[in-house]
Amino acid sequence: MKLMVQIDDTVIPLSQCFWIRADRTGCVFSSSHGDTAMTAADAHKDFTPRQRDRDRELKNGWTIRLVTRGQWDEQAKPCLMATCEHRKQAAA
């Protein structure tokens, strides 16, 4: 049995999605396959094991989101490859 999820208007298998962890500017620092966690809270635990660190991240505007492969290519890949606009602006 495949677990299906809806992202925007698209229904796809969870196994074809990705969890991403981004700072308040939207720069992605972590990524995992969708089927590694059932909820954003579970994915956050995988990315950031200590509760106090998760609390700090959430307080500072970090987000954990489920995205499609296309969204991952657009939003996460440039950040993880250090070619995103976030990194360029931070270096300026």
Side-chain angles (χ1 to χ4, degrees):
M1 178 173 88
K2 286 185 181 181
L3 184 59
M4 305 297 282
V5 295
Q6 182 172 345
I7 299 176
D8 299 328
D9 294 329
T10 306
V11 175
I12 57 175
L14 181 61
S15 62
Q16 293 180 16
C17 300
F18 295 86
W19 289 104
I20 59 173
R21 175 176 153 263
D23 70 6
R24 63 180 167 75
T25 69
C27 192
V28 175
F29 284 83
S30 304
S31 173
S32 65
H33 287 278
D35 56 4
T36 61
M38 295 293 289
T39 67
D42 291 339
H44 199 188
K45 286 178 189 175
D46 290 341
F47 294 139
T48 310
R50 293 188 336 185
Q51 180 67 49
R52 68 178 171 212
D53 295 334
R54 290 192 305 273
D55 292 345
R56 185 179 317 115
E57 287 178 352
L58 294 174
K59 182 180 178 183
N60 289 319
W62 288 63
T63 58
I64 309 299
R65 294 177 291 145
L66 188 63
V67 296
T68 65
R69 175 60 188 221
Q71 291 169 325
W72 187 91
D73 286 341
E74 189 178 285
Q75 299 171 27
K77 186 176 181 179
C79 298
L80 297 172
M81 300 296 288
T83 60
C84 65
E85 292 301 315
H86 313 104
R87 305 272 171 105
K88 291 176 187 173
Q89 290 174 1

